[in-house]
């Protein structure tokens, strides 16, 4: 697998988009670096009384369109460069769906599976204490990411509120419903992936009902996307997780597969499937639509040459290496980029924050309707930019839309020393 520096990928994507935009080199340079990065060491008491230290980061990439927004991940592979790149992608993700946020991202270098719940709570609260001067409902709003979820967000909110002696539910999103979370948040990423798939088939004048689909990764994003795409009448013929892939040419019952995975921990062994194979084979299956919903860089240049689907909708962040992206573009494969297809998560995070500020809970139907409007508007804006600029692919078109919005906000604000 090709090693890719995510920060360099981001810079290349900005360069591609800038070819279609009247943006000065000075302004573009400004968009390539984070405004600030907090790097800190957390010293936390373990259950046995010893003290352990952890590196932690928060990158605030750009706040021209609103408060910094983005998740916090717990992973041994977290690096300063990765956090910076991920915070940059958030700037363009929030801009392409036109929610009034900038971009941020954070992380702790840790393998959370090695720590007790009590230790993780103390580690999270120590990070929240460090973050306190930098975050806030109108400043920077963290959210869950890899290996963090409602529990960690509840701890961060509680720490912040205790230290500030106030209530501020909008300081983080992705909270549990009873702690100020939103209906529809858990399904939001899979739902936006489904909307993106529906819209691209419509744009290509093809019927998604009856289309064959393969989904790589059967976690939160992938399983919900599979269920909702099946509801459109498509045949989800293969799904995979880290244990392998299951395949049925007549279409799988996606909800049944999810129940099976919930009970057993993996999709392999599911007895409703005709056959099983290794998870890389799923990526090159002869299907109409491929949905990568697992990890970054899942498809490199070599694999991209073997991909048979002619539509790819990216539920995962950065599932294609830059080479794979070039190969698929040359081969005429239509790729709906991550910053649009999986933006349901950040969009419903925004709805959660709006509900927190309004102190008024929306119904799930309202959340889903508003999400549909946001994703279809973003899709239309991307297609308009693609056709008006003859961009090389839909990803560049999405960046053209997003970079334009960020630059307009920056230039419209006038100069400040
Ligand atoms: P998750 O942990 O719930 O699921 C990930 C799935 O991928 C698991 O089923 C895992 O077994 C599988 N997987 C791992 N390695 C694999 C491999 N080599 N082959 C096949 N499957 C493999 O995570 P998630 O929340 O669903 O996130 C998935 C992707 O979507 C990530 O890239 C994430 O950044 C992105 N994303 C998620 C959200 C969200 O709200 N959950 C929002 C935006 C983007």
């Amino acid at each position: 697998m090709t090693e890719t520096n995510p920060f360099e990928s981001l810079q290349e994507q900005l360069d591609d988009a800038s070819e279609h935009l009247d943006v000065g080199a000075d302004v573009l340079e400004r968009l390539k670096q984070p405004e600030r990065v907090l790097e800190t060491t957390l010293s936390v008491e373990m259950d046995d009384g010893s003290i352990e230290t952890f590196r932690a980061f928060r990158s605030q990439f750009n706040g021209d369109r609103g408060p910094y927004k983005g998740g916090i991940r717990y992973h041994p592979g977290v690096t300063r460069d990765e956090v910076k790149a991920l915070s940059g992608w958030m700037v363009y993700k929030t801009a392409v769906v036109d929610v009034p946020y900038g971009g941020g991202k954070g992380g702790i270098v840790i393998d959370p599976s090695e720590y007790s719940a009590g230790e993780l709570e103390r580690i999270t609260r120590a990070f929240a204490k460090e973050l306190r001067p930098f975050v806030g409902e109108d400043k920077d709003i963290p959210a869950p990411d890899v290996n963090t979820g409602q529990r960690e967000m509840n701890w961060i909110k509680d720490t912040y509120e205790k230290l500030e002696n106030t209530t501020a539910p909008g300081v983080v999103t992705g909270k549990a419903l009873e702690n100020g979370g939103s209906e529809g948040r858990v399904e939001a990423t899979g739902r936006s992936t489904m909307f993106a798939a529906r819209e691209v088939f419509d744009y290509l004048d093809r019927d998604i009902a009856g289309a064959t689909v393969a989904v790589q990764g059967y976690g939160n994003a992938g399983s919900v996307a599979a269920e909702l795409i099946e509801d459109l009448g498509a045949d989800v013929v293969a799904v995979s997780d880290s244990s392998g892939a299951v395949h049925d040419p007549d279409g799988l019952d996606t909800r049944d597969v999810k129940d099976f995975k919930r009970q057993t921990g993996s999709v392999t062994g599911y007895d409703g499937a005709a056959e099983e194979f290794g998870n890389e084979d799923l990526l090159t299956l002869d299907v109409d639509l491929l949905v990568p919903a697992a990890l970054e860089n899942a498809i490199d240049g070599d694999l991209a040459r073997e991909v048979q689907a002619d539509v790819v909708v990216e539920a995962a962040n950065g599932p294609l290496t830059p080479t794979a992206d070039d190969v698929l573009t040359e081969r005429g494969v239509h790729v709906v980029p991550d910053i649009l297809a999986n933006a349901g998560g950040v969009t419903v995070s925004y709805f959660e924050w709006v509900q927190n500020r309004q102190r008024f809970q929306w119904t799930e139907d309202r959340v889903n309707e508003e999400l549909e409007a946001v994703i279809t508007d973003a899709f239309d804006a991307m297609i308009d930019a693609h056709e008006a600029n003859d961009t090389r692919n839909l990803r560049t078109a999405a960046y053209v839309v997003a970079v334009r919005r960020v630059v307009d906000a920056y230039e419209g604000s006038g100069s400040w020393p």
Side-chain angles (χ1 to χ4, degrees):
M1 196 65 61
T2 319
E3 274 296 314
T4 306
N5 178 330
F7 196 55
E8 284 168 15
S9 303
L10 172 69
Q11 310 222 342
E12 277 173 37
Q13 284 157 359
L14 289 176
D15 286 334
D16 279 350
S18 70
E19 286 172 20
H20 303 281
L21 290 164
D22 181 22
V23 181
D26 49 349
V27 174
L28 190 66
E29 204 45 46
R30 186 179 172 276
L31 297 181
K32 287 185 173 177
Q33 299 294 336
E35 289 175 16
R36 68 189 65 78
V37 182
L38 168 73
E39 183 170 354
T40 180
T41 304
L42 312 172
S43 303
V44 182
E45 188 175 335
M46 298 291 101
D47 290 344
D48 66 3
S50 65
I51 302 290
E52 202 166 322
T53 56
F54 303 88
R55 296 304 289 163
F57 308 91
R58 180 75 184 169
S59 169
Q60 298 181 332
F61 202 97
N62 182 288
D64 290 336
R65 298 183 62 262
Y68 309 101
K69 181 83 189 108
I72 291 180
R73 67 173 53 178
Y74 288 3
H75 197 274
V78 164
T79 64
R80 191 183 170 100
D81 254 10
E82 183 193 60
V83 170
K84 278 162 63 176
L86 293 169
S87 69
W89 275 314
M90 288 306 299
V91 177
Y92 301 102
K93 192 179 290 193
T94 55
V96 81
V97 288
D98 209 7
V99 298
Y101 286 144
K105 203 82 176 188
I108 304 182
V109 186
I110 182 173
D111 178 353
S113 67
E114 292 179 359
Y115 296 87
S116 70
E119 288 167 339
L120 287 171
E121 177 168 356
R122 291 195 292 281
I123 293 162
T124 304
R125 288 186 185 276
F127 192 28
K129 182 169 157 288
E130 288 299 312
L131 287 172
R132 184 181 66 97
F134 303 94
V135 299
E137 291 184 304
D138 294 311
K139 288 172 38 184
D140 182 354
I141 306 148
D145 195 74
V146 177
N147 292 329
T148 59
Q150 294 180 342
R151 182 181 69 166
E152 286 74 18
M153 296 308 111
N154 290 350
W155 288 333
I156 295 174
K157 166 183 171 285
D158 183 66
T159 307
Y160 180 85
E161 290 182 336
K162 293 248 165 36
L163 292 171
E164 292 284 330
N165 191 28
T166 188
T167 58
V171 68
V172 287
T173 59
K175 303 176 291 289
L177 210 49
E178 52 279 11
N179 295 77
S182 177
E183 297 283 359
R185 173 65 183 84
V186 173
E187 298 81 17
T189 303
R191 189 170 292 275
S192 68
T193 304
M194 175 273 287
F195 289 138
R198 187 190 70 188
E199 294 302 302
V200 72
F201 270 71
D202 192 45
Y203 169 67
L204 297 170
D205 240 349
R206 289 169 52 176
D207 206 348
I208 196 157
T212 52
V213 185
V215 179
Q216 182 212 24
Y218 216 57
N220 174 263
S223 65
V224 175
E227 290 166 11
L228 297 178
I229 290 172
E230 188 189 0
D231 290 347
L232 296 175
D235 290 325
V236 178
V237 296
V239 302
S240 65
D241 62 14
S242 47
S243 72
V246 290
H247 178 225
D248 189 334
D250 296 327
L252 296 158
D253 177 339
T254 56
R255 288 179 174 83
D256 204 36
V257 179
K258 189 165 168 172
D259 282 346
F260 180 82
K261 182 172 163 79
R262 200 175 286 133
Q263 285 160 22
T264 65
S266 55
V267 297
T268 47
Y270 174 65
D271 54 13
E275 60 170 337
E276 292 188 6
F277 43 67
N279 46 36
E280 275 206 355
D281 295 331
L282 173 136
L283 300 168
T284 56
L285 209 60
D286 185 9
V287 287
D288 300 310
L289 168 64
L290 175 64
V291 179
L295 301 177
E296 287 147 44
N297 298 329
I299 303 178
D300 64 10
D302 292 339
L303 260 175
R305 280 178 202 94
E306 308 290 321
V307 166
Q308 296 195 64
D310 51 5
V311 181
V312 175
V313 175
E314 296 182 331
N317 282 315
L320 305 181
T321 65
T323 315
D325 199 34
D326 289 343
V327 169
L328 293 182
T329 299
E330 278 159 27
R331 294 186 49 216
V333 176
H334 305 276
V335 179
V336 183
D338 47 6
I339 60 167
L340 193 153
N342 71 28
V346 75
T347 303
V348 176
S349 273
Y350 166 60
F351 296 160
E352 178 178 332
W353 177 83
V354 170
Q355 293 169 74
N356 292 157
R357 310 306 297 272
Q358 292 176 330
R359 309 270 166 169
F360 181 77
Q361 195 81 15
W362 298 0
T363 62
E364 188 174 355
D365 283 348
R366 176 167 179 196
V367 169
N368 292 344
E369 276 165 31
E370 302 260 5
L371 175 62
E372 181 168 11
V374 166
I375 300 298
T376 53
D377 284 355
F379 189 89
D380 292 346
M382 174 181 73
I383 295 296
D384 287 349
H386 179 52
E387 292 181 348
N389 299 283
D390 195 19
T391 58
R392 59 195 286 267
N393 55 28
L394 296 179
R395 188 185 315 281
T396 302
Y399 274 89
V400 167
V401 172
V403 174
R404 178 81 272 156
R405 287 181 178 152
V406 177
V407 170
D408 284 351
Y410 172 66
E411 293 184 340
S413 302
S415 69
W416 180 253

